[in-house]
Amino acid sequence: MEGVDYLGDERRKAEFDVDEMKIVWAGSKHAFDLTDRMSKMVASDPVFRKDNRTMLDRKALFKSTLEKSAHAFKRVDELNLTYEEATKLRFFIDEPTYTDLHWGMFVPAIRGQGTEEQQEKWLKLAEKMQIIGCYAQTELGHGSNVQGLETTATFDSTTDEFVIHSPTLTSSKWWPGGLGKVSTHAVVYARLIIEGQDHGVHGFIVQLRSLEDHLPLPGITVGDIGTKFGNGGYNTMDNGVLRFDHVRIPRNQMLMRVLQVSREGKCTYSDVPRQLIYGTMVYVRQNIVTDASIALSRAVTVATRYSCVRRQFGSQNGGMETQVIDYKTQQNRLFPLLASAYAFRFVSEWLKWLYGDVTARLNANDFSMLPEAHACTAGLKSLTTSATADAIEECRKLCGGHGYLCSSGLPELFAMYVPACTYEGDNVVLLLQVARFLVKTVSQLGSGKQPVGTTAYMGRAEHLMQCRSNVERAEDWLNPSAILEAFEARAFRMVVSCAQSLRNFPSPEEGFAELSADLAEVAIAHCQLIVVSKFIDKLKQEIPGKGVKQQLKNLCNIYALSLLHKHQGEFLATSSITAEQASLANTQLRNLYSQVRPNAVALVDSFNYTDHYLGSILGRYDGNVYPKLYEAAWKDPLNESVVTDGYVEYIKPLLKGKLHLSRL
Amino acid sequence: MEGVDYLGDERRKAEFDVDEMKIVWAGSKHAFDLTDRMSKMVASDPVFRKDNRTMLDRKALFKSTLEKSAHAFKRVDELNLTYEEATKLRFFIDEPTYTDLHWGMFVPAIRGQGTEEQQEKWLKLAEKMQIIGCYAQTELGHGSNVQGLETTATFDSTTDEFVIHSPTLTSSKWWPGGLGKVSTHAVVYARLIIEGQDHGVHGFIVQLRSLEDHLPLPGITVGDIGTKFGNGGYNTMDNGVLRFDHVRIPRNQMLMRVLQVSREGKCTYSDVPRQLIYGTMVYVRQNIVTDASIALSRAVTVATRYSCVRRQFGSQNGGMETQVIDYKTQQNRLFPLLASAYAFRFVSEWLKWLYGDVTARLNANDFSMLPEAHACTAGLKSLTTSATADAIEECRKLCGGHGYLCSSGLPELFAMYVPACTYEGDNVVLLLQVARFLVKTVSQLGSGKQPVGTTAYMGRAEHLMQCRSNVERAEDWLNPSAILEAFEARAFRMVVSCAQSLRNFPSPEEGFAELSADLAEVAIAHCQLIVVSKFIDKLKQEIPGKGVKQQLKNLCNIYALSLLHKHQGEFLATSSITAEQASLANTQLRNLYSQVRPNAVALVDSFNYTDHYLGSILGRYDGNVYPKLYEAAWKDPLNESVVTDGYVEYIKPLLKGKLHLSRL
Ligand SMILES: Cc1cc2nc3c(=O)[nH]c(=O)nc-3n(C[C@H](O)[C@H](O)[C@H](O)COP(=O)(O)OP(=O)(O)OC[C@H]3O[C@@H](n4cnc5c(N)ncnc54)[C@H](O)[C@@H]3O)c2cc1C
Ligand SMILES: Cc1cc2nc3c(=O)[nH]c(=O)nc-3n(C[C@H](O)[C@H](O)[C@H](O)COP(=O)(O)OP(=O)(O)OC[C@H]3O[C@@H](n4cnc5c(N)ncnc54)[C@H](O)[C@@H]3O)c2cc1C
Ligand SMILES: [Ca+2]
């Protein structure tokens, strides 16, 4: 069976150069080589196997992940991997674990909020993992509203210490990853209290466990918060609970880059601009958007390959049945998701550029672009994670019954992915932030303030309020400017209409509260426009490789036109297009599906995922699905014995009538 | 803490008689008493506890479910429960298990497809559970297309037996619940082969395991197919794989109510109408729609209660923060789901009536209503299960981070519920069946054939093509006839438009294939109309209880207007309403949310779920969420030891630099 390729026919149909597309997807030849090398390294190392993940109980699962993390650290060391390589290696292990928080939140928090001395001291320890840290912000009763945190850090000038305390049950830290069973340290967010005065929420480095025996230090209660969604899923992570009973730390463990507390308990702001945190936010959210494109492309790979393997109905004269990918309903559900994966990839690439731009401006003390950059990244985080979560589940459904098996990989992927809609900003809360910014932008249009960046189009207000789409035939929708104009008109008219409605309320705040559901829709319309326009921008670049650009054009059009169909109501209600034009868009969409169909498998091959990383029998590269599903079934613990455990106690008495003898 | 009611204030706000609403929800006083009694009986029996479900490994989980099933049987016997009571008792145990298939598929299959002698013999054994049976239709390579099954049942006239055989790997039976580790018997669907001639797919009773020692009989390979979505979820069920190697069964074990095979191998059709199966389908699908309303109402209960407990932002002067249920975005996501729960409940009540009607007509040899009844139930199964699956996940997201914990109950509910979108007919395949029926109905309008049942409105073709909504103010949308007309116009115009487009294709089949995505949307529009109209019908009945009817009116309007907003594009594209009217609908919707808000908790209390059945700390009746979440955390197996298992091997060496000594 080795060496078969049941998808060979599909691959031969491709009309473009897959190797070149792989580089486009990866972002560069360098990025491609790196991910290719690291993913294969992980895939070939038996310690990193994950096919038994859903069969382990919580303790065994957790322990196996600890083993992997340690093994990864060892490999990085042995092979002398670069930071970039090490990050990729950990990434391909594909299990949430404490190192995500250590490297992804603890270290950056110290780097961003610590003074130079603090960085010197703590980063050194952290980088060698002589301490392990987590990020303890959220509390049992407080999440989205960080300003509502209850944990206190009270300055004791007699001892030059802060007293960290959990005054209520709801102030218990709750959720931080890596906290429950592993971290020795945490950056703890707490209210700074000096002589009874509340100075708001700040970060403090607090040691939690002994470096000798790993026992919690005095005054510290810490543990895991329990099982989460999915079998393996996030259960490899020790999201934790933490309570402080008057725990004392030296004054110099408050992160003081921005606000300093002196020996006497005086607060002084440094000259470091407070806007610095925006830079970090753009960075973190850009990563989340990249992750969305990855999670989505994984799910799409599984659904696409399996849809070519799976056949149902339509056999004539005893011939083969139809591949389900040939059904238009299947295409209509799948291909827009394939297009979204590429769309999110390119917008995340652009966000990477934006991060560089923001950083450069910050360094030059130019804060003019910050609000726009902040709104845009918040919106894209929300848009792409929500779409990806839904898409993974849709891909699972596209696989019919077999998608429900863990061996399809999709249930695990979903369970592991969905919290991205909640952490780093609840997606609805984020949309409302974007909406607030958009309404403000529109309200300032008259005042001569020019909208910048992704809101620049609003500067063409008059045109956007008046323009009429000139699409007359289905092919006209292939014109990027037709698409762009329709999306701009829709978004702009929606903002304007909301801004007008807001004026009917006694106060802007009341209006905003009352209309918030509409405002969230406005924010989505604006963010979709960003994604569409960045995809179109990408296509203006030179892209080498036979047929590659044509495929991307098709995907860009599918992304835009499928959104146009889905949100038809908004395009029509704002008169951005006519019903007739909407119908032409739909016709064009069907044509595009036919063009993508022969390239579908090659388009997912271009993501270059190993079978290990995919973790899906349905999505296997070779399409050898049925024998492998069959083989895998027998590995379930229930199959260890032919007669099931429990037969004697619970089944036999039933069959023998021994449970209800009284009535026989 | 016992006896507190943190939601007491919410309950006191209610403007209607909750006890009366409970009876409306249950369907009758009798039904209320029954469910109330049985759910409390299960809740108070420690054997039925389920709060540890997500912490068990597969084997322990499975065994505990076997125990519960046996215990349930014993209780039924001891208490001499009626069939109705026993069914409810099993229902409230709330774990998928082999008895679902035994009672829900195996017994009905024999009753529906077996001859009188066969029923006499097998039902007697099955009803005492002296045999345990499952329903083995789906194969590894064949699901939706039942006619494509590969398993063969070849008649051997020399021995008067059928030889049941799995000729290929893909012919392995795959998925049947209860098959993997429990069932002694199965109704196996296989191709009937007589003297080389294929007579299509029929059902056969096959013994799988010895009644003495439970070992598989010779020629039978059987086992579990492996872990499925979710932690507990469906993993309490032994969905199975089964292969036959020339297994012989007596001729009289083919289910012969419709087709009979004689001693000589002659096939004869009995005079029992083949349409009988439609009756069973209506029955099974009505149950699925009821289950949708239950699963949805559970999720909504959790999200509603927790949204009252949870507070974020908006505190002024150190006061309490805002209850998140007071945010319009939260209401806009939650209240349409609350309304859907009621809507699905009432449509399932109507389906119960329809089943009675269909049965009566079948007995009178009247088949005229069958195609319509079949299409309508297929469509409602698809609509309600898809909406419910999405809604459960939305309810989970409405709970923010805490919704991601298994202790919220929502991850388990989702994982357990989603296969309803796939089994008993893949939801997309079903929509296409509905669409086919609708197109046919429209095409026959000219020929004088009157559309019946839920398609009767199509008889008013001329009116529906011309009517214009006369809504002028937001309040006009409270008028049921305004809503009904808009939904009828939209659905009808969409069908007509598709039917017209189909004519542009060389053949209807080609057209149907090409336009299938649009056709699926047409089917949804039609099915939404059914749900809306049955809700409106319900409101025409007398409904006792102070304020009860007013609440239901609000919910009916929310259901309809939120759909109208979501599918605005279709209403506008078909000119069923204007953009201005759509906007008025939205304004009315916001008003309705304000009216539901004070009644929200009472409206979910009316479902009368015990805390045991809800299985959610966030959804607790008393709202005592935080202390109970905190308490539950400590029960996680990871918290059994303070220093984690794996510390010595995988964490200590890291911290001590022992993993990378070489470089220090
Ligand atoms: C897997 C996972 C890992 C995590 N890791 C960490 C970690 O390492 N460290 C850490 O500190 N935290 C962590 N968290 C916590 C996470 O950051 C919070 O859960 C997140 O910020 C959401 O906050 P919440 O849970 O309070 O949601 P809530 O704010 O309570 O949301 C509940 C509902 O209220 C709505 N809502 C809230 N405010 C508003 C508003 N103003 N307007 C309208 N609607 C509103 C929301 O939309 C949502 O529907 C993690 C969470 C998860 C799930
Ligand atoms: C939890 C669970 C329990 C089950 N229990 C049982 C049981 O007890 N006994 C039993 O016999 N079976 C059982 N099944 C099997 C179940 O009945 C099938 O999975 C179901 O019928 C779907 O078929 P499929 O898996 O072949 O999906 P497929 O048909 O392979 O679906 C794959 C994709 O193809 C699409 N598709 C298929 N045909 C068409 C078409 N003509 N046009 C357009 N699109 C199409 C679908 O929409 C879907 O997107 C169970 C399944 C599950 C998940
Ligand atoms: Ca488990």
Side-chain angles (χ1 to χ4, degrees):
Chain A
M1 274 329 226
E2 292 307 313
V4 298
D5 182 4
Y6 290 102
L7 293 170
D9 280 350
E10 290 292 336
R11 297 194 163 103
R12 280 183 287 277
K13 284 186 207 161
E15 299 157 323
F16 69 98
D17 183 333
V18 176
D19 289 330
E20 289 289 345
M21 188 67 95
K22 285 183 178 174
I23 291 169
V24 173
W25 174 263
S28 68
K29 180 79 174 66
H30 168 76
F32 170 77
D33 288 339
L34 179 76
T35 52
D36 189 59
R37 214 154 27 87
M38 289 302 128
S39 64
K40 285 177 181 157
M41 184 182 295
V42 172
S44 65
D45 191 330
V47 176
F48 296 134
R49 73 174 275 211
K50 57 182 188 184
D51 57 338
N52 60 345
R53 182 161 63 189
T54 60
M55 287 178 249
L56 303 176
D57 66 26
R58 182 86 204 275
K59 276 166 93 169
L61 178 71
F62 186 68
K63 192 170 175 183
S64 87
T65 301
L66 290 182
E67 182 186 3
K68 291 179 192 178
S69 301
H71 186 64
F73 194 84
K74 193 154 154 267
R75 295 299 287 156
V76 168
D77 194 56
E78 285 168 354
L79 301 169
N80 217 338
L81 299 187
T82 64
Y83 180 81
E84 201 185 18
E85 288 168 330
T87 307
K88 279 283 174 230
L89 181 133
R90 282 196 301 271
F91 175 84
F92 282 113
I93 297 173
D94 191 34
E95 288 187 348
T97 183
Y98 67 93
T99 52
D100 301 353
L101 285 301
H102 178 82
W103 296 111
M105 299 292 285
F106 181 71
V107 166
I110 297 174
R111 190 166 286 139
Q113 297 158 41
T115 60
E116 265 173 41
E117 304 94 283
Q118 290 177 322
Q119 298 194 27
E120 174 68 18
K121 170 173 178 187
W122 296 101
L123 291 183
K124 217 179 221 164
L125 292 165
E127 270 157 17
K128 288 192 189 141
M129 295 202 88
Q130 288 170 338
I131 62 174
I132 299 173
C134 67
Y135 186 88
Q137 178 176 297
T138 308
E139 298 174 353
L140 189 50
H142 311 274
S144 297
N145 181 19
V146 178
Q147 295 316 315
L149 294 177
E150 291 182 82
T151 304
T152 49
T154 308
F155 183 59
D156 180 349
S157 62
T158 59
T159 59
D160 199 20
E161 288 172 321
F162 290 108
V163 182
I164 312 287
H165 187 59
S166 311
T168 60
L169 182 78
T170 46
S171 73
S172 311
K173 292 294 172 187
W174 189 269
W175 272 118
L179 166 65
K181 303 309 287 183
V182 179
S183 293
T184 61
H185 288 68
V187 169
V188 172
Y189 289 85
R191 317 199 72 81
L192 171 62
I193 312 281
I194 305 179
E195 298 193 350
Q197 211 195 318
D198 185 332
H199 294 266
V201 172
H202 299 271
F204 300 81
I205 300 180
V206 186
Q207 182 171 350
L208 308 175
R209 289 182 170 91
S210 154
L211 291 171
E212 282 316 304
D213 55 15
H214 216 238
L215 280 171
L217 297 185
I220 296 217
T221 307
V222 62
D224 186 274
I225 59 171
T227 348
K228 289 145 289 186
F229 204 160
N231 232 305
Y234 236 88
N235 292 309
T236 54
M237 179 74 90
D238 54 331
N239 295 96
V241 46
L242 169 64
R243 286 179 64 83
F244 299 101
D245 182 5
H246 300 92
V247 170
R248 293 180 163 265
I249 58 168
R251 177 167 55 90
N252 68 9
Q253 284 180 212
M254 169 172 159
L255 294 173
M256 299 214 202
R257 187 164 178 202
V258 172
L259 181 74
Q260 274 134 25
V261 176
S262 71
R263 178 66 190 85
E264 296 74 35
K266 270 236 186 83
C267 288
T268 346
Y269 278 96
S270 69
D271 54 2
V272 176
R274 303 184 74 176
Q275 290 93 332
L276 263 185
I277 49 148
Y278 283 116
T280 321
M281 273 192 173
V282 175
Y283 176 73
V284 171
R285 288 178 182 160
Q286 176 259 310
N287 274 334
I288 294 184
V289 176
T290 306
D291 288 347
S293 76
I294 294 172
L296 177 48
S297 56
R298 276 173 83 170
V300 164
T301 303
V302 175
T304 302
R305 288 186 183 154
Y306 180 63
S307 292
C308 292
V309 171
R310 187 69 172 172
R311 294 171 178 270
Q312 289 292 316
F313 297 102
S315 81
Q316 262 130 14
N317 317 318
M320 293 258 249
E321 292 173 294
T322 306
Q323 292 169 289
V324 299
I325 199 172
D326 284 324
Y327 292 114
K328 273 278 160 346
T329 44
Q330 194 85 353
Q331 296 178 6
N332 186 52
R333 294 157 71 199
L334 181 58
F335 291 167
L337 306 182
L338 174 62
S340 302
Y342 278 92
F344 295 173
R345 190 74 183 183
F346 297 139
V347 84
S348 86
E349 223 171 54
W350 171 77
L351 279 173
K352 213 172 282 174
W353 169 86
L354 182 72
Y355 173 61
D357 187 59
V358 162
T359 311
R361 285 172 194 269
L362 275 173
N363 290 338
N365 270 326
D366 168 5
F367 306 129
S368 62
M369 302 285 282
L370 269 184
E372 186 273 324
H374 179 250
C376 147
T377 50
L380 290 174
K381 184 274 178 183
S382 176
L383 181 82
T384 57
T385 55
S386 287
T388 297
D390 292 350
I392 296 170
E393 173 60 6
E394 183 68 10
C395 285
R396 197 192 60 70
K397 292 204 182 96
L398 282 162
C399 297
H402 299 351
Y404 190 61
L405 282 169
C406 286
S407 54
S408 79
L410 295 169
E412 282 293 286
L413 186 60
F414 183 77
M416 196 133 72
Y417 188 75
V418 284
C421 299
T422 305
Y423 59 53
E424 287 302 320
D426 170 273
N427 279 355
V428 171
V429 174
L430 291 179
L431 288 180
L432 294 177
Q433 291 176 9
V434 178
R436 211 172 270 280
F437 173 74
L438 295 177
V439 168
K440 191 170 164 198
T441 305
V442 155
S443 72
Q444 294 176 336
L445 280 182
S447 73
K449 186 152 188 256
Q450 275 306 308
V452 296
T454 57
T455 53
Y457 69 105
M458 296 189 172
R460 288 176 283 118
E462 208 171 329
H463 171 74
L464 290 177
M465 290 309 285
Q466 289 167 359
C467 62
R468 299 248 154 277
S469 171
N470 53 15
V471 165
E472 288 177 358
R473 300 158 312 159
E475 309 87 83
D476 293 343
W477 276 120
L478 298 177
N479 183 352
S481 61
I483 286 177
L484 216 48
E485 192 181 70
F487 274 80
E488 287 177 349
R490 163 209 182 207
F492 187 64
R493 293 176 192 184
M494 284 173 74
V495 192
V496 168
S497 154
C498 265
Q500 281 166 349
S501 306
L502 284 174
R503 290 197 211 116
N504 303 332
F505 289 86
S507 79
E509 274 320 297
E510 267 173 79
F512 198 88
E514 181 68 17
L515 297 181
S516 59
D518 299 310
L519 285 157
E521 289 175 356
V522 169
I524 291 173
H526 171 72
C527 294
Q528 288 176 342
L529 163 63
I530 301 177
V531 182
V532 167
S533 71
K534 297 306 162 193
F535 205 151
I536 290 176
D537 285 352
K538 175 80 189 179
L539 295 173
K540 290 182 192 147
Q541 297 172 16
E542 216 175 308
I543 301 176
K546 173 183 158 273
V548 169
K549 195 174 221 172
Q550 184 55 48
Q551 293 305 316
L552 294 177
K553 276 188 187 164
N554 292 344
L555 291 172
C556 179
N557 287 323
I558 287 179
Y559 181 71
L561 296 180
S562 60
L563 284 181
L564 191 146
H565 181 67
K566 190 171 163 203
H567 297 272
Q568 203 191 133
E570 296 171 359
F571 285 89
L572 294 180
T574 54
S575 303
S576 304
I577 63 170
T578 64
E580 176 61 20
Q581 288 167 334
S583 161
L584 291 173
N586 220 17
T587 304
Q588 185 52 55
L589 199 49
R590 284 200 307 272
N591 293 341
L592 288 163
Y593 292 158
S594 304
Q595 286 170 50
V596 164
R597 166 64 188 93
N599 297 289
V601 166
L603 283 168
V604 302
D605 285 350
S606 303
F607 304 140
N608 196 45
Y609 294 134
T610 62
D611 278 347
H612 172 274
Y613 184 62
L614 269 187
S616 167
I617 294 179
L618 303 189
R620 289 173 64 91
Y621 182 85
D622 65 8
N624 190 24
V625 169
Y626 297 123
K628 295 294 177 180
L629 270 180
Y630 189 82
E631 227 176 277
W634 300 104
K635 295 183 190 146
D636 191 273
L638 284 190
N639 290 326
E640 281 165 19
S641 60
V642 176
V643 173
T644 189
D645 195 17
Y647 163 69
V648 174
E649 305 94 306
Y650 307 123
I651 300 176
K652 192 173 176 187
L654 255 186
L655 291 169
K656 297 284 178 191
K658 292 277 165 57
L659 275 181
H660 51 129
L661 260 187
S662 53
R663 287 172 73 197
L664 280 184
Chain B
M1 275 326 228
E2 290 309 312
V4 299
D5 182 3
Y6 289 101
L7 293 171
D9 280 350
E10 290 293 336
R11 297 195 163 103
R12 280 183 288 276
K13 284 185 207 161
E15 300 156 324
F16 69 98
D17 184 333
V18 176
D19 289 331
E20 288 289 345
M21 188 67 96
K22 285 184 178 173
I23 291 167
V24 173
W25 175 263
S28 68
K29 180 81 173 70
H30 168 77
F32 171 77
D33 288 339
L34 180 75
T35 52
D36 189 59
R37 212 154 29 86
M38 289 302 130
S39 65
K40 285 176 179 158
M41 182 182 295
V42 172
S44 65
D45 190 330
V47 176
F48 295 133
R49 73 175 276 214
K50 58 184 187 182
D51 56 338
N52 60 346
R53 183 161 62 187
T54 60
M55 288 179 251
L56 303 175
D57 67 24
R58 181 88 204 273
K59 275 166 95 169
L61 178 72
F62 186 69
K63 192 171 175 183
S64 87
T65 301
L66 289 182
E67 182 187 3
K68 291 178 192 180
S69 301
H71 187 63
F73 194 86
K74 195 156 151 264
R75 294 299 288 156
V76 168
D77 194 54
E78 285 169 354
L79 300 169
N80 217 340
L81 299 186
T82 64
Y83 180 81
E84 203 185 17
E85 289 168 328
T87 307
K88 279 283 177 232
L89 181 131
R90 280 197 302 270
F91 174 84
F92 282 113
I93 297 173
D94 190 34
E95 288 188 349
T97 183
Y98 67 93
T99 52
D100 301 352
L101 285 301
H102 177 82
W103 295 112
M105 299 290 288
F106 181 70
V107 167
I110 295 173
R111 189 166 288 139
Q113 297 158 41
T115 61
E116 265 170 42
E117 304 94 282
Q118 290 177 321
Q119 298 194 26
E120 175 67 19
K121 169 172 179 186
W122 296 102
L123 291 184
K124 216 178 224 167
L125 292 166
E127 271 156 16
K128 291 193 187 141
M129 295 203 89
Q130 288 169 337
I131 62 173
I132 299 173
C134 66
Y135 185 88
Q137 178 176 298
T138 308
E139 297 174 355
L140 189 50
H142 310 275
S144 298
N145 181 18
V146 178
Q147 295 315 317
L149 294 176
E150 290 181 83
T151 304
T152 49
T154 309
F155 184 59
D156 180 349
S157 62
T158 57
T159 60
D160 198 21
E161 289 170 319
F162 290 109
V163 182
I164 313 287
H165 187 60
S166 311
T168 59
L169 182 78
T170 47
S171 74
S172 310
K173 292 294 172 187
W174 188 270
W175 273 118
L179 166 65
K181 303 309 290 183
V182 179
S183 294
T184 61
H185 288 69
V187 170
V188 172
Y189 290 84
R191 317 200 72 82
L192 170 62
I193 312 281
I194 305 178
E195 299 194 349
Q197 211 195 319
D198 185 332
H199 293 265
V201 172
H202 299 271
F204 300 82
I205 300 179
V206 186
Q207 182 172 352
L208 307 175
R209 288 181 170 92
S210 153
L211 290 171
E212 281 317 303
D213 56 15
H214 216 238
L215 281 171
L217 297 185
I220 296 220
T221 307
V222 64
D224 185 274
I225 59 171
T227 348
K228 289 145 289 188
F229 204 159
N231 231 305
Y234 235 89
N235 292 308
T236 55
M237 178 73 92
D238 55 331
N239 295 95
V241 46
L242 168 64
R243 286 179 64 81
F244 298 102
D245 182 5
H246 300 94
V247 171
R248 292 179 164 264
I249 57 169
R251 177 168 55 91
N252 66 9
Q253 286 179 214
M254 170 174 157
L255 293 173
M256 298 214 203
R257 185 160 178 208
V258 172
L259 181 74
Q260 274 132 27
V261 176
S262 70
R263 178 66 189 87
E264 296 75 34
K266 269 238 188 82
C267 288
T268 347
Y269 279 96
S270 69
D271 53 5
V272 176
R274 304 184 73 178
Q275 288 96 330
L276 262 185
I277 49 148
Y278 283 115
T280 320
M281 273 193 174
V282 175
Y283 176 73
V284 170
R285 288 179 180 158
Q286 177 259 311
N287 274 334
I288 293 184
V289 175
T290 305
D291 288 348
S293 76
I294 294 173
L296 178 47
S297 56
R298 278 173 81 170
V300 164
T301 302
V302 175
T304 301
R305 290 186 183 152
Y306 180 64
S307 292
C308 292
V309 171
R310 187 70 173 169
R311 294 172 179 269
Q312 289 293 315
F313 297 101
S315 81
Q316 263 131 13
N317 317 321
M320 294 258 250
E321 292 174 294
T322 306
Q323 291 169 291
V324 298
I325 199 172
D326 284 323
Y327 292 113
K328 274 277 153 31
T329 43
Q330 194 86 352
Q331 295 177 5
N332 186 53
R333 292 155 74 198
L334 181 57
F335 292 167
L337 306 182
L338 174 63
S340 302
Y342 278 92
F344 295 173
R345 190 73 183 185
F346 297 138
V347 84
S348 87
E349 222 171 57
W350 170 77
L351 278 173
K352 213 171 282 175
W353 169 85
L354 183 72
Y355 173 62
D357 186 60
V358 162
T359 313
R361 284 171 194 269
L362 276 173
N363 290 338
N365 271 329
D366 167 7
F367 306 127
S368 62
M369 302 286 282
L370 269 185
E372 187 273 325
H374 179 249
C376 149
T377 50
L380 290 175
K381 183 272 178 185
S382 176
L383 182 81
T384 58
T385 55
S386 287
T388 297
D390 291 350
I392 296 171
E393 173 61 6
E394 184 68 11
C395 285
R396 196 190 61 69
K397 292 206 182 94
L398 283 162
C399 297
H402 299 350
Y404 190 60
L405 282 169
C406 286
S407 54
S408 80
L410 295 169
E412 282 293 288
L413 186 60
F414 183 78
M416 197 134 69
Y417 188 74
V418 284
C421 299
T422 305
Y423 58 54
E424 287 303 320
D426 170 272
N427 279 355
V428 171
V429 174
L430 291 179
L431 287 180
L432 294 177
Q433 291 176 8
V434 177
R436 211 172 269 279
F437 173 74
L438 294 177
V439 167
K440 192 170 162 196
T441 303
V442 155
S443 73
Q444 292 176 337
L445 280 180
S447 74
K449 187 153 187 254
Q450 275 306 309
V452 295
T454 57
T455 53
Y457 70 105
M458 296 189 172
R460 287 176 283 118
E462 209 171 330
H463 171 75
L464 290 178
M465 290 308 284
Q466 288 166 358
C467 61
R468 299 248 155 273
S469 170
N470 52 14
V471 166
E472 288 176 0
R473 299 159 311 157
E475 309 86 83
D476 294 343
W477 276 120
L478 298 178
N479 182 352
S481 62
I483 287 177
L484 216 48
E485 191 180 71
F487 274 79
E488 286 178 350
R490 163 209 184 207
F492 187 65
R493 293 176 194 186
M494 284 173 74
V495 192
V496 168
S497 155
C498 264
Q500 281 166 348
S501 304
L502 284 174
R503 290 198 211 115
N504 303 330
F505 288 86
S507 79
E509 274 319 298
E510 267 171 79
F512 199 89
E514 182 68 17
L515 298 182
S516 57
D518 299 310
L519 285 157
E521 289 175 358
V522 169
I524 290 173
H526 172 71
C527 294
Q528 288 177 342
L529 163 64
I530 300 178
V531 181
V532 167
S533 70
K534 296 307 163 194
F535 205 150
I536 290 175
D537 285 351
K538 174 81 190 178
L539 294 174
K540 289 183 195 146
Q541 296 173 16
E542 216 175 311
I543 302 176
K546 171 183 159 273
V548 169
K549 195 174 219 170
Q550 184 55 47
Q551 293 306 317
L552 294 177
K553 274 188 187 162
N554 291 344
L555 292 172
C556 178
N557 287 324
I558 287 180
Y559 181 71
L561 295 181
S562 61
L563 283 181
L564 190 145
H565 180 67
K566 190 169 162 205
H567 297 271
Q568 203 191 132
E570 294 171 1
F571 285 89
L572 295 179
T574 54
S575 302
S576 304
I577 62 171
T578 65
E580 176 61 21
Q581 288 166 334
S583 163
L584 291 172
N586 221 18
T587 304
Q588 186 52 56
L589 198 50
R590 283 200 308 272
N591 294 341
L592 288 162
Y593 292 158
S594 304
Q595 288 171 49
V596 165
R597 167 63 190 91
N599 297 290
V601 166
L603 282 168
V604 302
D605 284 350
S606 303
F607 304 140
N608 196 45
Y609 295 134
T610 62
D611 279 346
H612 171 274
Y613 184 61
L614 269 187
S616 166
I617 294 180
L618 303 189
R620 287 173 64 90
Y621 182 84
D622 64 8
N624 189 24
V625 170
Y626 297 123
K628 295 294 177 181
L629 270 180
Y630 189 81
E631 225 177 277
W634 301 104
K635 295 184 190 144
D636 192 273
L638 283 190
N639 290 326
E640 280 165 20
S641 61
V642 176
V643 173
T644 189
D645 197 16
Y647 164 69
V648 174
E649 305 94 306
Y650 307 122
I651 301 176
K652 191 174 176 188
L654 256 186
L655 291 169
K656 298 285 177 190
K658 293 281 165 56
L659 274 181
H660 50 126
L661 260 189
S662 54
R663 286 171 74 198
L664 282 182

